[in-house]
PDB file of all heavy atoms in Angstrom:
ATOM      1  N   PHE A   1       0.862  -1.161   0.031  1.00 96.00           N
ATOM      2  CA  PHE A   1      -0.049  -0.074   0.038  1.00 96.00           C
ATOM      3  C   PHE A   1       0.953   1.183   0.050  1.00 96.00           C
ATOM      4  O   PHE A   1       1.602   1.464   0.976  1.00 96.00           O
ATOM      5  CB  PHE A   1      -0.893  -0.040   1.193  1.00 96.00           C
ATOM      6  CG  PHE A   1      -2.005   0.920   1.204  1.00 96.00           C
ATOM      7  CD1 PHE A   1      -2.944   0.898   0.150  1.00 96.00           C
ATOM      8  CD2 PHE A   1      -2.141   1.950   2.206  1.00 96.00           C
ATOM      9  CE1 PHE A   1      -3.967   1.836   0.199  1.00 96.00           C
ATOM     10  CE2 PHE A   1      -3.148   2.843   2.167  1.00 96.00           C
ATOM     11  CZ  PHE A   1      -4.180   2.848   1.110  1.00 96.00           C
ATOM     12  N   MET A   2       0.986   1.924  -1.130  1.00 97.00           N
ATOM     13  CA  MET A   2       1.892   3.019  -1.267  1.00 97.00           C
ATOM     14  C   MET A   2       1.350   4.271  -1.884  1.00 97.00           C
ATOM     15  O   MET A   2       0.341   4.215  -2.592  1.00 97.00           O
ATOM     16  CB  MET A   2       3.105   2.473  -2.229  1.00 97.00           C
ATOM     17  CG  MET A   2       3.877   1.327  -1.741  1.00 97.00           C
ATOM     18  SD  MET A   2       5.308   0.877  -2.785  1.00 97.00           S
ATOM     19  CE  MET A   2       6.357   2.285  -2.502  1.00 97.00           C
ATOM     20  N   LYS A   3       1.978   5.400  -1.541  1.00 97.00           N
ATOM     21  CA  LYS A   3       1.661   6.661  -2.015  1.00 97.00           C
ATOM     22  C   LYS A   3       2.204   6.702  -3.489  1.00 97.00           C
ATOM     23  O   LYS A   3       3.317   6.165  -3.856  1.00 97.00           O
ATOM     24  CB  LYS A   3       2.315   7.769  -1.271  1.00 97.00           C
ATOM     25  CG  LYS A   3       1.844   9.115  -1.654  1.00 97.00           C
ATOM     26  CD  LYS A   3       2.477  10.176  -0.662  1.00 97.00           C
ATOM     27  CE  LYS A   3       1.784  11.514  -0.874  1.00 97.00           C
ATOM     28  NZ  LYS A   3       2.235  12.431   0.202  1.00 97.00           N
ATOM     29  N   GLY A   4       1.375   7.322  -4.430  1.00 97.00           N
ATOM     30  CA  GLY A   4       1.763   7.199  -5.859  1.00 97.00           C
ATOM     31  C   GLY A   4       3.204   7.675  -6.195  1.00 97.00           C
ATOM     32  O   GLY A   4       3.897   6.911  -6.861  1.00 97.00           O
ATOM     33  N   ASN A   5       3.629   8.795  -5.698  1.00 98.00           N
ATOM     34  CA  ASN A   5       4.924   9.255  -5.952  1.00 98.00           C
ATOM     35  C   ASN A   5       6.025   8.398  -5.498  1.00 98.00           C
ATOM     36  O   ASN A   5       7.027   8.125  -6.214  1.00 98.00           O
ATOM     37  CB  ASN A   5       5.220  10.700  -5.459  1.00 98.00           C
ATOM     38  CG  ASN A   5       4.426  11.828  -6.160  1.00 98.00           C
ATOM     39  OD1 ASN A   5       4.236  11.644  -7.330  1.00 98.00           O
ATOM     40  ND2 ASN A   5       4.164  12.839  -5.497  1.00 98.00           N
ATOM     41  N   GLU A   6       5.830   7.770  -4.351  1.00 98.00           N
ATOM     42  CA  GLU A   6       6.828   6.876  -3.891  1.00 98.00           C
ATOM     43  C   GLU A   6       6.823   5.575  -4.544  1.00 98.00           C
ATOM     44  O   GLU A   6       7.926   4.950  -4.863  1.00 98.00           O
ATOM     45  CB  GLU A   6       6.582   6.674  -2.352  1.00 98.00           C
ATOM     46  CG  GLU A   6       6.832   7.936  -1.507  1.00 98.00           C
ATOM     47  CD  GLU A   6       6.530   7.845  -0.007  1.00 98.00           C
ATOM     48  OE1 GLU A   6       5.954   6.736   0.373  1.00 98.00           O
ATOM     49  OE2 GLU A   6       6.835   8.640   0.788  1.00 98.00           O
ATOM     50  N   ALA A   7       5.678   5.076  -5.008  1.00 98.00           N
ATOM     51  CA  ALA A   7       5.606   3.800  -5.787  1.00 98.00           C
ATOM     52  C   ALA A   7       6.234   4.090  -7.204  1.00 98.00           C
ATOM     53  O   ALA A   7       6.980   3.177  -7.708  1.00 98.00           O
ATOM     54  CB  ALA A   7       4.143   3.390  -5.956  1.00 98.00           C
ATOM     55  N   ILE A   8       6.063   5.215  -7.747  1.00 98.00           N
ATOM     56  CA  ILE A   8       6.705   5.541  -8.979  1.00 98.00           C
ATOM     57  C   ILE A   8       8.243   5.516  -8.846  1.00 98.00           C
ATOM     58  O   ILE A   8       9.039   4.938  -9.768  1.00 98.00           O
ATOM     59  CB  ILE A   8       6.180   6.920  -9.464  1.00 98.00           C
ATOM     60  CG1 ILE A   8       4.738   6.809  -9.927  1.00 98.00           C
ATOM     61  CG2 ILE A   8       7.109   7.428 -10.645  1.00 98.00           C
ATOM     62  CD1 ILE A   8       4.128   8.210 -10.033  1.00 98.00           C
ATOM     63  N   ALA A   9       8.706   6.214  -7.713  1.00 98.00           N
ATOM     64  CA  ALA A   9      10.164   6.191  -7.520  1.00 98.00           C
ATOM     65  C   ALA A   9      10.769   4.807  -7.364  1.00 98.00           C
ATOM     66  O   ALA A   9      11.853   4.451  -7.885  1.00 98.00           O
ATOM     67  CB  ALA A   9      10.442   7.034  -6.292  1.00 98.00           C
ATOM     68  N   GLU A  10      10.069   3.959  -6.686  1.00 98.00           N
ATOM     69  CA  GLU A  10      10.543   2.572  -6.418  1.00 98.00           C
ATOM     70  C   GLU A  10      10.471   1.774  -7.812  1.00 98.00           C
ATOM     71  O   GLU A  10      11.411   1.003  -8.090  1.00 98.00           O
ATOM     72  CB  GLU A  10       9.677   1.869  -5.431  1.00 98.00           C
ATOM     73  CG  GLU A  10      10.064   0.410  -5.118  1.00 98.00           C
ATOM     74  CD  GLU A  10      11.453   0.313  -4.573  1.00 98.00           C
ATOM     75  OE1 GLU A  10      12.015   1.116  -3.869  1.00 98.00           O
ATOM     76  OE2 GLU A  10      12.105  -0.845  -4.888  1.00 98.00           O
ATOM     77  N   ALA A  11       9.502   1.972  -8.604  1.00 98.00           N
ATOM     78  CA  ALA A  11       9.374   1.391  -9.854  1.00 98.00           C
ATOM     79  C   ALA A  11      10.574   1.863 -10.792  1.00 98.00           C
ATOM     80  O   ALA A  11      11.084   1.032 -11.457  1.00 98.00           O
ATOM     81  CB  ALA A  11       8.109   1.734 -10.578  1.00 98.00           C
ATOM     82  N   ALA A  12      10.959   3.122 -10.668  1.00 98.00           N
ATOM     83  CA  ALA A  12      12.117   3.574 -11.482  1.00 98.00           C
ATOM     84  C   ALA A  12      13.399   2.795 -11.057  1.00 98.00           C
ATOM     85  O   ALA A  12      14.107   2.399 -11.903  1.00 98.00           O
ATOM     86  CB  ALA A  12      12.244   5.074 -11.263  1.00 98.00           C
ATOM     87  N   VAL A  13      13.601   2.716  -9.744  1.00 98.00           N
ATOM     88  CA  VAL A  13      14.796   1.947  -9.255  1.00 98.00           C
ATOM     89  C   VAL A  13      14.734   0.577  -9.808  1.00 98.00           C
ATOM     90  O   VAL A  13      15.746  -0.015 -10.343  1.00 98.00           O
ATOM     91  CB  VAL A  13      14.881   2.006  -7.689  1.00 98.00           C
ATOM     92  CG1 VAL A  13      15.965   1.119  -7.208  1.00 98.00           C
ATOM     93  CG2 VAL A  13      15.088   3.458  -7.302  1.00 98.00           C
ATOM     94  N   ARG A  14      13.560  -0.132  -9.700  1.00 98.00           N
ATOM     95  CA  ARG A  14      13.481  -1.554 -10.182  1.00 98.00           C
ATOM     96  C   ARG A  14      13.649  -1.621 -11.608  1.00 98.00           C
ATOM     97  O   ARG A  14      14.000  -2.724 -12.147  1.00 98.00           O
ATOM     98  CB  ARG A  14      12.147  -2.065  -9.601  1.00 98.00           C
ATOM     99  CG  ARG A  14      12.183  -2.230  -8.085  1.00 98.00           C
ATOM    100  CD  ARG A  14      10.870  -2.839  -7.597  1.00 98.00           C
ATOM    101  NE  ARG A  14      10.866  -2.907  -6.103  1.00 98.00           N
ATOM    102  CZ  ARG A  14      10.588  -3.915  -5.327  1.00 98.00           C
ATOM    103  NH1 ARG A  14      10.201  -5.051  -6.009  1.00 98.00           N
ATOM    104  NH2 ARG A  14      10.631  -3.953  -4.106  1.00 98.00           N
ATOM    105  N   GLY A  15      13.264  -0.543 -12.359  1.00 97.00           N
ATOM    106  CA  GLY A  15      13.422  -0.563 -13.797  1.00 97.00           C
ATOM    107  C   GLY A  15      14.797  -0.222 -14.284  1.00 97.00           C
ATOM    108  O   GLY A  15      14.962  -0.261 -15.495  1.00 97.00           O
ATOM    109  N   GLY A  16      15.766  -0.073 -13.375  1.00 96.00           N
ATOM    110  CA  GLY A  16      17.102   0.112 -13.771  1.00 96.00           C
ATOM    111  C   GLY A  16      17.637   1.518 -13.661  1.00 96.00           C
ATOM    112  O   GLY A  16      18.762   1.799 -13.947  1.00 96.00           O
ATOM    113  N   CYS A  17      16.778   2.440 -13.194  1.00 97.00           N
ATOM    114  CA  CYS A  17      17.282   3.812 -12.993  1.00 97.00           C
ATOM    115  C   CYS A  17      18.373   3.921 -12.010  1.00 97.00           C
ATOM    116  O   CYS A  17      18.299   3.371 -10.843  1.00 97.00           O
ATOM    117  CB  CYS A  17      16.130   4.717 -12.567  1.00 97.00           C
ATOM    118  SG  CYS A  17      16.599   6.467 -12.265  1.00 97.00           S
ATOM    119  N   ARG A  18      19.456   4.533 -12.371  1.00 97.00           N
ATOM    120  CA  ARG A  18      20.565   4.659 -11.398  1.00 97.00           C
ATOM    121  C   ARG A  18      21.123   6.065 -11.276  1.00 97.00           C
ATOM    122  O   ARG A  18      22.213   6.329 -10.633  1.00 97.00           O
ATOM    123  CB  ARG A  18      21.752   3.717 -11.846  1.00 97.00           C
ATOM    124  CG  ARG A  18      21.519   2.237 -11.744  1.00 97.00           C
ATOM    125  CD  ARG A  18      21.182   1.887 -10.252  1.00 97.00           C
ATOM    126  NE  ARG A  18      20.757   0.425 -10.024  1.00 97.00           N
ATOM    127  CZ  ARG A  18      19.532  -0.038 -10.102  1.00 97.00           C
ATOM    128  NH1 ARG A  18      18.520   0.820 -10.251  1.00 97.00           N
ATOM    129  NH2 ARG A  18      19.285  -1.247  -9.944  1.00 97.00           N
ATOM    130  N   PHE A  19      20.372   7.018 -11.875  1.00 98.00           N
ATOM    131  CA  PHE A  19      20.706   8.501 -11.728  1.00 98.00           C
ATOM    132  C   PHE A  19      19.487   9.297 -11.772  1.00 98.00           C
ATOM    133  O   PHE A  19      18.630   9.083 -12.696  1.00 98.00           O
ATOM    134  CB  PHE A  19      21.628   8.854 -12.834  1.00 98.00           C
ATOM    135  CG  PHE A  19      22.127  10.324 -12.673  1.00 98.00           C
ATOM    136  CD1 PHE A  19      23.133  10.723 -11.880  1.00 98.00           C
ATOM    137  CD2 PHE A  19      21.425  11.341 -13.425  1.00 98.00           C
ATOM    138  CE1 PHE A  19      23.504  12.100 -11.742  1.00 98.00           C
ATOM    139  CE2 PHE A  19      21.757  12.676 -13.206  1.00 98.00           C
ATOM    140  CZ  PHE A  19      22.858  13.026 -12.445  1.00 98.00           C
ATOM    141  N   PHE A  20      19.340  10.170 -10.883  1.00 98.00           N
ATOM    142  CA  PHE A  20      18.273  11.110 -10.793  1.00 98.00           C
ATOM    143  C   PHE A  20      18.805  12.550 -10.436  1.00 98.00           C
ATOM    144  O   PHE A  20      19.674  12.656  -9.605  1.00 98.00           O
ATOM    145  CB  PHE A  20      17.196  10.839  -9.734  1.00 98.00           C
ATOM    146  CG  PHE A  20      16.162  11.849  -9.630  1.00 98.00           C
ATOM    147  CD1 PHE A  20      14.935  11.703 -10.232  1.00 98.00           C
ATOM    148  CD2 PHE A  20      16.270  12.978  -8.791  1.00 98.00           C
ATOM    149  CE1 PHE A  20      13.962  12.700 -10.149  1.00 98.00           C
ATOM    150  CE2 PHE A  20      15.344  13.938  -8.659  1.00 98.00           C
ATOM    151  CZ  PHE A  20      14.123  13.699  -9.381  1.00 98.00           C
ATOM    152  N   ALA A  21      18.396  13.471 -11.257  1.00 98.00           N
ATOM    153  CA  ALA A  21      18.624  14.950 -10.984  1.00 98.00           C
ATOM    154  C   ALA A  21      17.415  15.676 -11.087  1.00 98.00           C
ATOM    155  O   ALA A  21      16.611  15.522 -12.025  1.00 98.00           O
ATOM    156  CB  ALA A  21      19.779  15.449 -11.863  1.00 98.00           C
ATOM    157  N   GLY A  22      17.139  16.575 -10.140  1.00 97.00           N
ATOM    158  CA  GLY A  22      15.795  17.352 -10.154  1.00 97.00           C
ATOM    159  C   GLY A  22      15.859  18.368  -9.044  1.00 97.00           C
ATOM    160  O   GLY A  22      16.962  18.584  -8.422  1.00 97.00           O
ATOM    161  N   TYR A  23      14.798  19.081  -8.996  1.00 97.00           N
ATOM    162  CA  TYR A  23      14.652  20.185  -8.213  1.00 97.00           C
ATOM    163  C   TYR A  23      13.273  20.122  -7.574  1.00 97.00           C
ATOM    164  O   TYR A  23      12.304  19.847  -8.225  1.00 97.00           O
ATOM    165  CB  TYR A  23      14.909  21.563  -8.899  1.00 97.00           C
ATOM    166  CG  TYR A  23      14.997  22.712  -7.988  1.00 97.00           C
ATOM    167  CD1 TYR A  23      16.239  23.068  -7.433  1.00 97.00           C
ATOM    168  CD2 TYR A  23      13.965  23.559  -7.793  1.00 97.00           C
ATOM    169  CE1 TYR A  23      16.379  24.165  -6.630  1.00 97.00           C
ATOM    170  CE2 TYR A  23      14.087  24.656  -7.056  1.00 97.00           C
ATOM    171  CZ  TYR A  23      15.261  25.074  -6.417  1.00 97.00           C
ATOM    172  OH  TYR A  23      15.440  26.073  -5.677  1.00 97.00           O
ATOM    173  N   PRO A  24      13.159  20.454  -6.228  1.00 95.00           N
ATOM    174  CA  PRO A  24      11.868  20.354  -5.564  1.00 95.00           C
ATOM    175  C   PRO A  24      10.645  21.170  -6.256  1.00 95.00           C
ATOM    176  O   PRO A  24      10.949  22.396  -6.524  1.00 95.00           O
ATOM    177  CB  PRO A  24      12.028  20.785  -4.119  1.00 95.00           C
ATOM    178  CG  PRO A  24      13.507  20.635  -3.933  1.00 95.00           C
ATOM    179  CD  PRO A  24      14.147  20.931  -5.252  1.00 95.00           C
ATOM    180  N   ILE A  25       9.544  20.633  -6.334  1.00 96.00           N
ATOM    181  CA  ILE A  25       8.300  21.407  -6.671  1.00 96.00           C
ATOM    182  C   ILE A  25       7.068  20.510  -6.424  1.00 96.00           C
ATOM    183  O   ILE A  25       7.117  19.348  -6.769  1.00 96.00           O
ATOM    184  CB  ILE A  25       8.327  21.849  -8.138  1.00 96.00           C
ATOM    185  CG1 ILE A  25       7.047  22.706  -8.510  1.00 96.00           C
ATOM    186  CG2 ILE A  25       8.420  20.728  -9.189  1.00 96.00           C
ATOM    187  CD1 ILE A  25       7.080  23.415  -9.854  1.00 96.00           C
ATOM    188  N   THR A  26       6.169  21.098  -5.789  1.00 95.00           N
ATOM    189  CA  THR A  26       4.880  20.348  -5.472  1.00 95.00           C
ATOM    190  C   THR A  26       4.067  20.225  -6.781  1.00 95.00           C
ATOM    191  O   THR A  26       4.076  21.164  -7.605  1.00 95.00           O
ATOM    192  CB  THR A  26       4.080  21.259  -4.507  1.00 95.00           C
ATOM    193  OG1 THR A  26       4.878  21.495  -3.353  1.00 95.00           O
ATOM    194  CG2 THR A  26       2.839  20.455  -4.107  1.00 95.00           C
ATOM    195  N   PRO A  27       3.358  19.079  -7.061  1.00 96.00           N
ATOM    196  CA  PRO A  27       3.083  18.032  -6.209  1.00 96.00           C
ATOM    197  C   PRO A  27       3.947  16.808  -6.384  1.00 96.00           C
ATOM    198  O   PRO A  27       3.347  15.644  -6.324  1.00 96.00           O
ATOM    199  CB  PRO A  27       1.586  17.785  -6.370  1.00 96.00           C
ATOM    200  CG  PRO A  27       1.499  18.077  -7.792  1.00 96.00           C
ATOM    201  CD  PRO A  27       2.485  19.151  -8.224  1.00 96.00           C
ATOM    202  N   GLN A  28       5.158  16.894  -6.801  1.00 96.00           N
ATOM    203  CA  GLN A  28       6.012  15.605  -7.085  1.00 96.00           C
ATOM    204  C   GLN A  28       7.142  15.441  -6.129  1.00 96.00           C
ATOM    205  O   GLN A  28       8.005  14.556  -6.339  1.00 96.00           O
ATOM    206  CB  GLN A  28       6.555  15.711  -8.500  1.00 96.00           C
ATOM    207  CG  GLN A  28       7.482  16.866  -8.792  1.00 96.00           C
ATOM    208  CD  GLN A  28       8.894  16.650  -8.443  1.00 96.00           C
ATOM    209  OE1 GLN A  28       9.507  15.716  -8.854  1.00 96.00           O
ATOM    210  NE2 GLN A  28       9.439  17.525  -7.604  1.00 96.00           N
ATOM    211  N   ASN A  29       7.160  16.173  -5.020  1.00 97.00           N
ATOM    212  CA  ASN A  29       8.251  16.169  -4.201  1.00 97.00           C
ATOM    213  C   ASN A  29       8.733  14.878  -3.579  1.00 97.00           C
ATOM    214  O   ASN A  29       9.878  14.624  -3.269  1.00 97.00           O
ATOM    215  CB  ASN A  29       8.159  17.256  -3.043  1.00 97.00           C
ATOM    216  CG  ASN A  29       8.423  18.602  -3.520  1.00 97.00           C
ATOM    217  OD1 ASN A  29       9.008  18.855  -4.550  1.00 97.00           O
ATOM    218  ND2 ASN A  29       7.690  19.584  -2.864  1.00 97.00           N
TER     219      ASN A  29
END
């Protein structure tokens, strides 16, 4: 049972993502 943004982030890691660069902004923080 997960919050959408956090589930998306975990899916990215499991999909092979190994680099993220970004800057805070609501509603994706």
Side-chain angles (χ1 to χ4, degrees):
F1 192 60
M2 297 185 72
K3 192 172 189 177
N5 284 333
E6 294 179 347
I8 290 164
E10 179 61 31
V13 171
R14 294 180 180 227
C17 176
R18 293 299 178 266
F19 181 84
F20 175 94
Y23 191 82
I25 183 171
T26 305
Q28 62 85 55
N29 283 334

